[in-house]
Amino acid sequence: SENKRRVRQHLDEFYTGRRSIEQVMPSSLMDADDIEGHKVSAGSRISAARRRSVQHRLSVAGSGGRLGSQDYIPDDGIVAGRRSVDSTLYRLKRKEDREAEIAAIEADLEEQLGKEVLIEEISRWDWVWTGVLVAACIGVMVAIFILGPDVHQSEEYQHLYGVSANETLYYALDDHKPFKHVQFVATAGVEYPANNTQPEGLQLTAQPGYCKNHCESAEDFVALDDETLGTKDESFPLIISFKTNEYDREYGEGEEPVVKVTTNNNAPLGVSIESFQSGTIGRYQVLIAGLILIMLFLLIMTDVIHRTLSAFVGMFVAIFFLVLVDKAPDMVRIWEHIDQEVIILLLGMMIIVHVLSTTGLFEYLAVKSYQWSGGTLTKLWYILVILTAVLSAFLDNVTTVLLIAPVTINLSLAMKVDPLPLLISEAILSNIGGTATLIGDPPNIIIGAALADYVGFVDFLANLLPVVLIIAVFVLGFLRWWYRKELVKETGFVDVEELKHEYRIRKKLLLIRAGIVFGCVVVLFFTEPVHHVQAPWIALLGAVVLMLLSEPHDLQHTLESVEWDLLLFFAALFVCIESLAEMGLIRWIGDLIVGWVRSVPESQQLTVAIVILVWVSGIVSGILDNIPYTTTMVPVIVQMSRDPVLQLPIRPLIWSLALGACLGGNMTLIGASANLVVSGIAGRSGHKITFVSWLKQGPSVTFISLTIAMIYCILRYSVGGDHQE
């Protein structure tokens, strides 16, 4: 029946950790105390009946020699899934108690609904989708056999040549590849040649055409399109590129398609050249890249599949089309696409925060917050959201809400109040607080790692902290007014002594040692301009030291705390976005924004650029996840700063992008990772935060934040001229 099928589905979700025990069991098998208004907390205490059932299963399993002979009643906190326990008990919960819970639930379900409830049924549609899978696998194998040899036909991906005013270079195209669409890129380097003889400016030209008689003389070259000219400006690389379809013609005997490259420098000049030849599809690669990006955003936004899988799907689709347009990357290039600094920084901070969490520090701070509030909900709200904002600045907002949100729910349940005003406010303030530092919000981490040559940890604090403090004050006032009715409700009695006993400092010595290490990490973050060691190395070093101090003989517990799905999401996303960039999408977006900025007088260009970046970043980040958007926009602002006409200072553009991307994440539920994390934690406790419910306050908060951010950037960087170059 449909009921049994639903129970089997819920049981599968329990096996994978997406449902708690109480959400799987029918209400007839649960005690009345465990169910209140059909909202059950995943972290609440399991019923006495469930304890007896688990205890019975443990004893039965022990007699069979599967789990050992000791008769042990698991601690409520362990069964409920709290991680701030000793590693020994944690492993017991993960292995022995988990098996005992599953066995007990299966037995009770069989008794209540029949044995067939646990028997898997394969429907006709299941077989249909299996057939589709077989066809897809065959198609992929055929494509690999057809495209594989052509992809790896050439051993060299990039070529280095010499050219001078007296020696013209005729770069020959590959006659084994199609000529319907040809893209050419030549780079002359960053520094001026030591023996540059042209003070008016170093120039490089490229022109498509074909040679007769191997171009033994200048008359043997026949041009097919106009000449492309590039002039070197300051310390930027001299890059010229063109796309053409004029090579698509019949060539006679002795005629060879080439690109003519010349320079005005008398001494030889080293030029790095890349060329790509493809069929008709190459003409539409920017459009295809845009469609892939939209598909990726839709997959992430609709949550049809996990966002990590969405990123991998987008990555493989992008690489497939790169193959079709003659830009197939090898594994070395794929690894270059991944921003290892972001991955290492996140990995290090996750381990550091995990070790701190095992001491019970964050739960202890939450209980202290309740004591400081005197049991008043309004004061507790102020304390929790401000604590969340401060911690988000130094622990990153995703990690902070992961630690604070479960404790907030437990406090709310104890006080018998709705936790949603607290949770939503914490998520909003975590995004605002995380904006202040390099490690506080994923967009800042991406910006700081990609643009480390321009900004560091102290730069983020000096430029973003002042405006973040102003925004936080205004947003706190707005949220206090918005939840004015919810925050004045009477609260239930809370036994403070019981809370202090349950959420206490569990490892004082480890807390002292971890606090010392974390303090050193923060100091090194602040002093990066002095020692020039980047934040990822510092975070990783701190993580290794804390692992040596906490559990040097057992890394399984620590490594399980790392959000590997988030790290893989970043890695796949970086490869996907860089692949789309190679198809020309990033340059097209940059040219579009540059065109808007160029359309205004020169004196107003920086102001217009700031306004566009703040508002476009804020709106797009609110509609879409701000992580892929930031990854997309970082190369765009670099392109704007290197535009020979605009030559805008890059630092105001960096701060405008950071403020827009971070603050815009408050607009919708899917705008920021912290929002999704809080929504997931609330949903597992029976308090659902929907996309529509978030829209009640999200857009207003975002409008207030972006307006203040725009005014701040204009006054400081455009009017005040603080470019910090």
Side-chain angles (χ1 to χ4, degrees):
S1 65
E2 182 63 26
N3 184 37
K4 293 180 179 179
R5 185 178 182 88
R6 185 166 56 253
V7 171
R8 284 196 298 271
Q9 179 184 354
H10 291 178
L11 191 61
D12 290 337
E13 293 174 354
F14 169 74
Y15 291 154
T16 57
R18 289 176 290 169
R19 286 183 180 268
S20 65
I21 300 174
E22 295 86 348
Q23 292 170 328
V24 172
M25 298 299 294
S27 58
S28 59
L29 298 180
M30 302 297 298
D31 289 351
D33 294 338
D34 290 316
I35 301 176
E36 181 180 355
H38 301 289
K39 292 183 177 181
V40 183
S41 171
S44 62
R45 297 176 180 269
I46 62 173
S47 65
R50 189 84 2 259
R51 286 172 60 88
R52 290 193 296 271
S53 180
V54 172
Q55 179 186 6
H56 170 69
R57 293 293 164 183
L58 277 170
S59 62
V60 172
S63 63
R66 183 166 61 94
L67 298 179
S69 58
Q70 55 180 340
D71 186 12
Y72 172 76
I73 301 177
D75 177 76
D76 288 341
I78 301 174
V79 175
R82 289 197 300 270
R83 287 193 170 187
S84 55
V85 293
D86 293 336
S87 59
T88 303
L89 296 180
Y90 178 76
R91 290 195 302 273
L92 183 63
K93 175 255 176 184
R94 293 287 293 176
K95 298 179 180 179
E96 300 180 353
D97 290 350
R98 184 70 170 172
E99 296 178 5
E101 287 177 319
I102 293 174
I105 290 174
E106 290 179 346
D108 289 336
L109 287 174
E110 288 181 0
E111 181 180 353
Q112 182 76 5
L113 302 175
K115 294 184 178 180
E116 64 275 7
V117 72
L118 299 177
I119 300 177
E120 181 182 10
E121 295 180 357
I122 302 179
S123 64
R124 181 180 302 176
W125 281 108
D126 294 330
W127 288 114
V128 171
W129 285 112
T130 303
V132 172
L133 174 63
V134 172
C137 290
I138 295 176
V140 170
M141 288 190 295
V142 171
I144 290 176
F145 278 111
I146 294 176
L147 299 176
D150 292 335
V151 169
H152 300 286
Q153 180 178 2
S154 176
E155 296 182 359
E156 293 185 347
Y157 188 85
Q158 187 168 325
H159 310 272
L160 184 63
Y161 296 90
V163 60
S164 67
N166 302 319
E167 186 69 27
T168 301
L169 170 65
Y170 295 97
Y171 176 81
L173 299 180
D174 190 344
D175 56 2
H176 294 92
K177 297 179 180 179
F179 296 107
K180 292 184 179 296
H181 182 80
V182 176
Q183 181 177 351
F184 177 87
V185 181
T187 305
V190 176
E191 301 294 335
Y192 279 100
N195 49 3
N196 180 32
T197 57
Q198 301 295 328
E200 68 273 10
L202 179 65
Q203 294 181 349
L204 193 66
T205 63
Q207 186 174 24
Y210 65 91
C211 282
K212 298 178 180 178
N213 302 321
H214 305 290
C215 282
E216 294 181 357
S217 64
E219 291 75 15
D220 292 336
F221 175 78
V222 179
L224 294 175
D225 208 340
D226 295 334
E227 185 180 69
T228 301
L229 171 65
T231 303
K232 186 170 180 56
D233 295 291
E234 297 183 0
S235 60
F236 298 131
L238 173 53
I239 301 176
I240 57 171
S241 64
F242 65 81
K243 299 177 183 178
T244 181
N245 304 322
E246 299 300 327
Y247 283 105
D248 186 17
R249 62 182 299 276
E250 294 293 334
Y251 294 97
E253 184 176 356
E255 295 180 344
E256 181 183 13
V258 298
V259 178
K260 179 182 178 181
V261 182
T262 61
T263 182
N264 64 344
N265 195 66
N266 292 329
L269 177 68
V271 180
S272 174
I273 295 178
E274 292 179 292
S275 63
F276 311 98
Q277 303 168 223
S278 61
T280 306
I281 192 174
R283 304 176 184 180
Y284 309 102
Q285 54 185 304
V286 175
L287 175 61
I288 294 172
L291 294 176
I292 294 174
L293 186 63
I294 293 173
M295 177 203 72
L296 173 62
F297 283 157
L298 288 176
L299 284 176
I300 295 175
M301 181 173 62
T302 57
D303 201 25
V304 176
I305 56 178
H306 193 280
R307 66 176 183 174
T308 302
L309 292 176
S310 299
F312 273 105
V313 170
M315 180 190 74
F316 280 112
V317 172
I319 292 176
F320 172 74
F321 280 100
L322 278 181
V323 173
L324 297 183
V325 297
D326 190 34
K327 298 180 181 180
D330 55 16
M331 287 304 299
V332 174
R333 202 171 183 89
I334 291 293
W335 282 112
E336 291 175 351
H337 288 340
I338 299 175
D339 198 328
Q340 293 95 340
E341 294 180 352
V342 172
I343 304 298
I344 293 174
L345 179 59
L346 284 175
L347 174 64
M349 292 306 299
M350 286 176 183
I351 294 175
I352 290 174
V353 172
H354 163 71
V355 175
L356 287 172
S357 69
T358 60
T359 66
L361 172 63
F362 302 103
E363 294 90 339
Y364 174 78
L365 291 176
V367 175
K368 279 296 182 182
S369 300
Y370 177 79
Q371 286 185 281
W372 295 333
S373 69
T376 304
L377 183 58
T378 303
K379 292 182 179 179
L380 179 64
W381 177 82
Y382 274 116
I383 292 172
L384 286 179
V385 295
I386 293 175
L387 176 64
T388 302
V390 173
L391 290 178
S392 295
F394 299 99
L395 300 181
D396 88 71
N397 55 0
V398 174
T399 304
T400 300
V401 296
L402 277 170
L403 297 169
I404 298 296
V407 181
T408 301
I409 293 175
N410 288 336
L411 286 174
S412 301
L413 293 177
M415 299 173 68
K416 298 181 180 178
V417 296
D418 185 6
L420 293 187
L422 292 170
L423 292 173
I424 294 176
S425 301
E426 287 171 357
I428 290 174
L429 265 297
S430 73
N431 292 323
I432 295 175
T435 308
T437 65
L438 184 151
I439 61 173
D441 210 359
N444 284 0
I445 296 175
I446 295 172
I447 293 172
L451 303 175
D453 293 337
Y454 301 99
V455 293
F457 189 88
V458 176
D459 296 313
F460 273 85
L461 274 179
N463 289 271
L464 300 184
L465 181 58
V467 68
V468 165
L469 293 176
I470 299 172
I471 292 172
V473 171
F474 278 87
V475 171
L476 275 174
F478 171 78
L479 291 176
R480 176 63 183 88
W481 171 82
W482 183 266
Y483 292 119
R484 59 189 180 278
K485 296 180 180 179
E486 290 83 350
L487 295 179
V488 296
K489 293 181 179 179
E490 294 185 0
T491 61
F493 172 76
V494 178
D495 189 343
V496 178
E497 295 302 321
E498 181 180 351
L499 284 178
K500 291 172 64 177
H501 174 73
E502 186 173 4
Y503 299 111
R504 65 187 185 277
I505 299 296
R506 303 174 185 274
K507 301 177 181 179
K508 295 181 181 180
L509 180 59
L510 179 60
L511 176 59
I512 295 173
R513 293 175 175 176
I516 294 173
V517 174
F518 181 67
C520 293
V521 169
V522 173
V523 170
L524 290 173
F525 281 162
F526 276 93
T527 55
E528 181 181 346
V530 178
H531 54 70
H532 302 292
V533 178
Q534 294 181 342
W537 284 108
I538 298 171
L540 185 61
L541 176 61
V544 172
V545 172
L546 286 183
M547 285 190 289
L548 290 172
L549 293 175
S550 59
E551 295 172 332
H553 302 292
D554 183 11
L555 292 182
Q556 181 178 359
H557 181 199
T558 302
L559 294 180
E560 284 180 348
S561 68
V562 176
E563 299 174 54
W564 296 107
D565 58 333
L566 180 62
L567 299 183
L568 289 174
F569 170 72
F570 271 105
L573 185 65
F574 285 136
V575 176
C576 180
I577 296 300
E578 287 295 332
S579 300
L580 299 183
E582 290 196 13
M583 297 172 69
L585 179 63
I586 303 300
R587 186 175 183 85
W588 180 83
I589 296 175
D591 291 340
L592 188 63
I593 296 179
V594 168
W596 292 343
V597 177
R598 281 180 175 177
S599 64
V600 300
E602 183 178 352
S603 60
Q604 302 175 10
Q605 287 179 348
L606 180 58
T607 301
V608 172
I610 289 173
V611 172
I612 291 176
L613 281 175
V614 169
W615 284 101
V616 172
S617 300
I619 294 173
V620 174
S621 294
I623 299 174
L624 308 169
D625 193 304
N626 56 15
I627 294 175
Y629 172 76
T630 306
T631 309
T632 305
M633 287 301 297
V634 165
V636 172
I637 65 173
V638 174
Q639 179 183 338
M640 292 176 64
S641 70
R642 294 179 176 178
D643 185 273
V645 177
L646 294 177
Q647 293 189 358
L648 297 175
I650 192 171
R651 293 198 177 193
L653 305 181
I654 292 174
W655 309 132
S656 302
L657 174 62
L659 288 170
C662 294
L663 299 175
N666 281 327
M667 181 179 293
T668 65
L669 182 62
I670 63 172
S673 301
N675 304 351
L676 297 172
V677 171
V678 169
S679 175
I681 294 174
R684 288 194 295 271
S685 68
H687 301 83
K688 190 174 183 181
I689 301 176
T690 64
F691 187 90
V692 176
S693 65
W694 188 279
L695 292 178
K696 295 179 180 179
Q697 65 279 323
S700 300
V701 169
T702 304
F703 177 79
I704 295 172
S705 304
L706 294 180
T707 301
I708 297 174
M710 178 191 67
I711 295 173
Y712 170 83
C713 289
I714 291 176
L715 292 178
R716 178 168 180 176
Y717 304 116
S718 182
V719 178
D722 184 10
H723 300 163
Q724 303 168 333
E725 295 297 337

